Structure formats: C-alpha cells, structure tokens
Amino acid sequence: MSGISPNRLPSALTLEAVPQADGSVIIKCGGKLFSSDTDELHFEVKRWFPKTKRVVLDLTDLAQLDSSGLGAIAALYISAKSAGVRLEMINLSKRVRDLFSITNLMTLFEPYGQHNIRM
C-alpha cells in the first residue's frame, strides 16, 4: 500500500470542487460516504466558506452513505448557516433521498426543483 497508513484504508469517497462563473462552487461527490470519510468531506466543503456564499453538493455519483455520512451533511448545514453560506444538494439518487426522508433530515431542507434540495 504505497503512501497509505496501514491503519487507514483508501477513501471510498471522491470529491471534486468546480468553481462557477457566478462565484459559487459545485462539489461533485462520488463513491461512498462512510464514517471514515466525513473529515475529508468537512474539510473540502468548509474550505470554500470564506470564498463563496453558495456551495452545491452534487450527489450524482454518490452510490451509498451511512448514518455518519448523513450526520456529516447535517453538520455541514449547521456550519454553512452559521457562516452565512447557502448549502444545496443536487441530483440525489432515490436511495439517498429515501435515507434523508426516513431519518427526517429532509425536513431541514427546502425543496429546490425535482431532484435538488436547498439547505
């Protein structure tokens, strides 16, 4: 395992930040968001808070998340709100949308189109 600590498996999460012409940033999330990846998600999203007032999480390629992943997104909602940043999610799969609904986290978020959620 080149460059990876024997105690830490490679991340199942991929993140790509794409700055937009309007000053916002889209963060494309792919793979799986598990407890081992929440710090990486927090770091990547929160580093944009001083630079923009709108961060969009594009969940098109997010195949799976666990309860820690749900908690991480909820915590980002609180951090964004405190920083005066609008956090949005777009392209939620049916599975991810169902998890937000089942846990009642969807009630925190404002509907934004058919497949988008504004927080």
Side-chain angles (χ1 to χ4, degrees):
M1 295 198 296
S2 61
I4 298 173
S5 165
N7 297 331
R8 174 97 161 86
L9 296 174
S11 176
L13 179 68
T14 60
L15 300 169
E16 178 188 357
V18 183
Q20 303 296 296
D22 66 359
S24 66
V25 65
I26 295 176
I27 299 177
K28 297 179 179 184
C29 304
K32 300 174 182 178
L33 176 54
F34 295 141
S35 60
S36 59
D37 307 304
T38 58
D39 288 343
E40 182 180 355
L41 177 67
H42 276 263
F43 175 79
E44 181 60 31
V45 173
K46 290 171 92 174
R47 78 183 185 95
W48 288 96
F49 288 0
K51 302 172 189 173
T52 185
K53 293 299 176 194
R54 181 175 174 245
V55 175
V56 179
L57 296 179
D58 183 348
L59 304 183
T60 301
D61 296 322
L62 189 69
Q64 194 173 359
L65 76 157
D66 66 6
S67 60
S68 294
L70 286 169
I73 293 174
L76 283 171
Y77 162 78
I78 293 166
S79 296
K81 193 167 184 154
S82 295
V85 174
R86 188 172 75 216
L87 185 64
E88 299 175 14
M89 293 188 299
I90 60 172
N91 303 320
L92 284 72
S93 69
K94 181 177 179 346
R95 171 183 266 176
V96 171
R97 184 180 297 280
D98 287 347
L99 284 173
F100 275 92
S101 294
I102 289 167
T103 58
N104 288 322
L105 286 174
M106 195 65 84
T107 59
L108 292 175
F109 312 129
E110 171 188 340
Y112 183 66
Q114 183 179 0
H115 300 286
N116 305 334
I117 302 295
R118 179 175 290 151
M119 299 190 264

